[in-house]
Amino acid sequence: LDEHFPRWLDVLKLFSLDLFGVAIPGSCIGAMSTRLLVAGLWPYAAVAFVSLAIVAVVAVLNNKQALDRQLLGRLLYWAILIFYLVLPSVSRSIFSVRLCESFGYDDATGQRISYLLADLSLTCDAGPTWDDETSGLAPYFWAFFALWPVLVPLGFLALLLRARKPVAAQRATPLSRATSFLWRDYSSGFLFWEVLDLVRKIFLTS
């Protein structure tokens, strides 16, 4: 490959919304468990910040009608949008605690040692003179695995199931407008296609 081609690929990382890959090097955060906590929780902080900003704007405008009828739908719309955009990169960060590479340790016995690719200071298996240093990351991995690659797509699916009848009837409701980001490019017969495509993106990026 031409030497300039990888540089163009680096530019594409700016659009991945990967906090560690673009903004902050993972080594600057601290231990791998801390990195995983930050990777799994910062989108919730972003949703909270955006929600507070929207509520503040509505309160300043003193628009009671908007506060009563539109605020919840607007908050839900932005939460869906943020979770949708960050899900692939957050899932990649979660699965990074399971990606290891094996190296020869003793040629005479064929003994090998595996290191975590995201943090080469951590070993992934136990051997004669070392321990499995990634075993302590297992609770973090399973908790965030359930929270992101499993529950977020299921949450989107549940919202679309609730909005299915209004969408099919072409009736605007707060929920159908809030979830429009997930279904507006598809016909009513393929209302859930975006959820399937999101699962595909998780597999491809993770």
Side-chain angles (χ1 to χ4, degrees):
L1 293 178
D2 186 89
E3 61 179 2
H4 299 292
F5 183 72
R7 297 178 185 176
W8 284 106
L9 293 180
D10 291 337
V11 174
L12 296 178
K13 292 181 180 180
L14 297 174
F15 302 96
S16 67
L17 298 179
D18 187 351
L19 183 66
F20 296 137
V22 177
I24 306 173
S27 58
C28 296
I29 300 296
M32 194 63 198
S33 57
T34 305
R35 300 183 212 175
L36 196 56
L37 283 172
V38 173
L41 296 178
W42 80 262
Y44 288 93
V47 169
F49 176 80
V50 171
S51 300
L52 288 175
I54 294 174
V55 171
V57 170
V58 172
V60 169
L61 295 177
N62 196 25
N63 190 336
K64 293 183 178 180
Q65 183 178 6
L67 184 63
D68 294 338
R69 298 180 181 179
Q70 301 176 7
L71 180 59
L72 185 59
R74 194 179 305 173
L75 296 178
L76 182 59
Y77 174 85
W78 282 102
I80 291 173
L81 178 61
I82 292 174
F83 285 154
Y84 176 87
L85 293 176
V86 304
L87 180 58
S89 62
V90 171
S91 298
R92 184 169 62 248
S93 297
I94 294 169
F95 284 107
S96 69
V97 303
R98 310 292 289 185
L99 297 178
C100 302
E101 186 168 351
S102 177
F103 299 92
Y105 174 73
D106 189 337
D107 292 337
T109 61
Q111 184 73 43
R112 302 184 67 84
I113 180 172
S114 295
Y115 290 96
L116 187 67
L117 290 177
D119 187 348
L120 293 175
S121 67
L122 299 178
T123 52
C124 298
D125 56 1
T129 59
W130 67 86
D131 298 321
D132 183 357
E133 297 173 324
T134 62
S135 58
L137 297 175
Y140 296 92
F141 169 79
W142 289 112
F144 284 115
F145 175 80
L147 188 62
W148 281 99
V150 175
L151 288 182
V152 170
L154 287 178
F156 289 167
L157 180 62
L159 290 173
L160 289 173
L161 284 171
R162 289 290 302 272
R164 177 176 53 179
K165 291 183 179 179
V167 172
Q170 297 183 352
R171 187 175 73 252
T173 65
L175 182 58
S176 66
R177 286 193 294 265
T179 57
S180 62
F181 182 79
L182 298 174
W183 59 260
R184 63 188 175 192
D185 292 330
Y186 305 99
S187 63
S188 58
F190 295 89
L191 188 66
F192 310 107
W193 189 259
E194 192 64 49
V195 176
L196 297 176
D197 189 57
L198 194 58
V199 173
R200 179 187 65 86
K201 292 176 182 177
I202 293 174
F203 277 102
L204 290 177
T205 59
S206 303

